[in-house]
Amino acid sequence: MGVNIGIVAIALFASFFVFLILGLQVSVGIGLASFIAILLSLPLDMTIIASAQKMITGLDNFALLAIPFFILSGNIMNNGGIAIKLVNFAKLIGGRLPGSLAQVNILGNMLFGAISGSAVAAEAAIGGTIYPLQKKEGYDPKYCAAVNITSCPTGLLIPPSNVLIVFALVSGGTSIGALFIAGYLPGIVMGLGIMILAYIFAKKNNYPVEPKPEMSLVIKTTLDALPSLLLIIVVIGGIIKGVFTATEGSGIAVIYTLVLSLIYKNLNAKVIKKILDETIKMTGIIMFLMAASSIMSWALAYSQIPQYITNLLLGISDNKYVILLIINMLLLVVGTFMDMTPAVLIFTPIFLPVVTSLGMHPVHFGILMVYNLCIGLCTPPVGNALFLGCAIADLKIEEIIKTILPYFIVMLIGLLLVTYIPAISLFLPKVFGLI
């Protein structure tokens, strides 16, 4: 190529971070940095042609249709009266534990996030519903916010998850069905860890327990929530069993949630317009990111940067556990200043060759990566879950840092478990014959 790989790598990443510091959108920064890196190896005219072609071909994938459909179904659920039914159902499960409303918040985030595929949507819908009740019963706002913030990312692991779809595509065709089913146990590990810590703090502060519900209420609440919960079985079950693809499943999710919301009579022309507007905006952002990242993926491959970084990391140590620890530390840093989707798009092509050379399954790495980046949603300076959770509880970020730190520790322990115990991610996909 005539240009040192190290120089290309420095040009790519240094220019990208400069663009971020200057305030450019991540997608624009990715595209421009990739263009600069390619320009070091190819003439200007060929660089322009190659960049344009890669942006177009990067979106020429039928599986990408799953993303706007899952976004649409999630937005329909966010506005379709489903949140309160899931909150009531979560009360049946966690209502008898100390700090029952906090436990309901965690379980509600897990359920709603799993159905909608959005962490912040779950946080807003469930946390926004639960917090006034917690405040009325004398809960510490900092405790409530910490629980809501750290539990909402569980829905990004428990399918359907757009981030896992993005990983499947950028990783070269990892099975979406395998990634979906692989996310259940890690998502439960994350949620269960937060529940245990919330339980300990609730016992310490003598937070109240919900009264035991009457059996008639249990039956009614379960039946009310059942149609929403069936969505998981219909969509994920159909994908796992091969009845339909993830893309077809996303379309079914839209029809299912639309019919359900119409039955609940929570949709009108104004709400539908809002849903469509939000879906178009979110889809446009993600698709432009995918297009720009296609240039970066090609620039990385053409410049042999992944092989360079693989050799660099393996030069530090050939111990699998040490390399995974280094990668986790790097991703934790990345997650503090970059949203999940661009982080997955940029760093999957870089780290995947490293871990596969060590014998790690791509499905396992995909779950590890998403789990890791979920933590970044809860940390400054760009943690969307942190900002929203503080807004819901009317707190400043500096007021909550001390309270939220123990929850970060629990999430990090979960990350180490997912990293070093492959069965947590791979057991269910193997049971269902997906890997």
Side-chain angles (χ1 to χ4, degrees):
M1 290 184 300
V3 180
N4 185 278
I5 295 173
I7 295 174
V8 176
I10 292 171
L12 177 63
F13 294 113
S15 59
F16 173 63
F17 289 120
V18 167
F19 290 138
L20 289 185
I21 292 169
L22 292 174
L24 266 69
Q25 294 293 329
V26 174
S27 52
V28 177
I30 290 172
L32 289 177
S34 304
F35 186 88
I36 290 170
I38 298 170
L39 196 57
L40 292 174
S41 303
L42 295 175
L44 178 61
D45 57 344
M46 292 183 65
T47 301
I48 294 172
I49 293 169
S51 299
Q53 286 178 338
K54 293 304 171 184
M55 288 189 73
I56 295 170
T57 56
L59 297 180
D60 187 17
N61 191 321
F62 180 72
L64 276 176
L65 283 174
I67 292 176
F69 280 132
F70 277 130
I71 291 173
L72 178 56
S73 66
N75 284 335
I76 292 171
M77 284 182 280
N78 296 346
N79 295 276
I82 291 173
I84 189 63
K85 298 182 186 299
L86 293 178
V87 167
N88 292 334
F89 181 73
K91 283 183 180 179
L92 301 181
I93 305 172
R96 300 297 296 158
L97 297 171
S100 54
L101 288 177
Q103 302 294 349
V104 170
N105 194 167
I106 298 166
L107 289 166
N109 276 341
M110 293 173 72
L111 290 170
F112 194 85
I115 293 173
S116 70
S118 170
V120 292
E123 183 181 25
I126 303 299
T129 303
I130 291 287
Y131 180 69
L133 303 177
Q134 292 173 316
K135 188 176 180 181
K136 186 177 180 181
E137 294 195 11
Y139 283 69
D140 182 357
K142 293 191 287 287
Y143 168 80
C144 301
V147 166
N148 191 29
I149 290 165
T150 53
S151 63
C152 71
T154 54
L156 297 175
L157 285 163
I158 303 172
S161 169
N162 288 330
V163 181
L164 289 176
I165 296 173
V166 171
F167 175 85
L169 297 174
V170 77
S171 64
T174 305
S175 167
I176 295 175
L179 285 165
F180 275 8
I181 197 70
Y184 276 107
L185 292 183
I188 291 170
V189 166
M190 182 187 287
L192 190 59
I194 295 166
M195 287 182 72
I196 292 170
L197 191 59
Y199 174 92
I200 293 170
F201 285 133
K203 286 283 285 186
K204 181 180 178 181
N205 292 288
N206 295 314
Y207 288 138
V209 177
E210 288 284 304
K212 186 176 181 180
E214 297 289 336
M215 184 53 65
S216 59
L217 180 62
V218 171
I219 295 171
K220 181 181 183 303
T221 302
T222 303
L223 290 175
D224 283 346
L226 194 58
S228 303
L229 297 173
L230 278 175
L231 174 66
I232 301 173
I233 298 173
V234 171
V235 175
I236 305 304
I239 294 171
I240 291 169
K241 290 296 183 182
V243 178
F244 41 74
T245 65
T247 306
E248 292 163 345
S250 65
I252 291 170
V254 170
I255 296 171
Y256 188 101
T257 52
L258 181 60
V259 171
L260 195 60
S261 297
L262 289 171
I263 291 172
Y264 292 157
K265 298 180 180 179
N266 287 306
L267 293 182
N268 54 46
K270 186 177 180 180
V271 173
I272 291 173
K273 182 181 182 300
K274 176 187 174 186
I275 289 169
L276 292 175
D277 285 345
E278 290 175 354
T279 302
I280 291 167
K281 289 176 184 176
M282 292 174 68
T283 301
I285 291 169
I286 293 175
M287 291 304 173
F288 188 63
L289 266 172
M290 293 288 293
S293 71
S294 297
I295 310 174
M296 179 170 279
S297 296
W298 186 79
L300 290 169
Y302 182 81
S303 304
Q304 299 178 3
I305 292 174
Q307 295 93 315
Y308 177 78
I309 293 176
T310 298
N311 294 333
L312 187 65
L313 287 174
L314 294 177
I316 297 172
S317 173
D318 59 358
N319 186 304
K320 175 181 178 180
Y321 302 105
V322 173
I323 296 297
L324 288 177
L325 181 62
I326 293 171
I327 290 175
N328 267 325
M329 292 171 65
L330 291 171
L331 287 175
L332 284 169
V333 172
V334 166
T336 62
F337 64 85
M338 189 178 293
D339 286 334
M340 292 183 70
T341 301
V344 169
L345 291 169
I346 293 169
F347 292 97
T348 298
I350 294 172
F351 291 138
L352 187 60
V354 179
V355 297
T356 51
S357 70
L358 296 170
M360 189 178 197
H361 198 286
V363 169
H364 181 197
F365 180 67
I367 299 300
L368 178 156
M369 191 175 202
V370 172
Y371 193 116
N372 190 309
L373 295 172
C374 279
I375 299 174
L377 288 176
C378 311
T379 59
V382 293
N384 293 333
L386 176 65
F387 296 138
L388 179 58
C390 287
I392 291 171
D394 195 22
L395 294 169
K396 295 179 180 178
I397 292 174
E398 54 267 26
E399 293 179 284
I400 198 178
I401 295 299
K402 184 178 178 181
T403 305
I404 206 172
L405 278 176
Y407 294 91
F408 285 146
I409 293 171
V410 167
M411 295 173 86
L412 289 172
I413 292 170
L415 175 62
L416 292 175
L417 291 174
V418 170
T419 300
Y420 294 119
I421 305 176
I424 296 176
S425 302
L426 301 181
F427 173 72
L428 289 179
K430 287 179 179 178
V431 167
F432 286 95
L434 296 172
I435 58 174

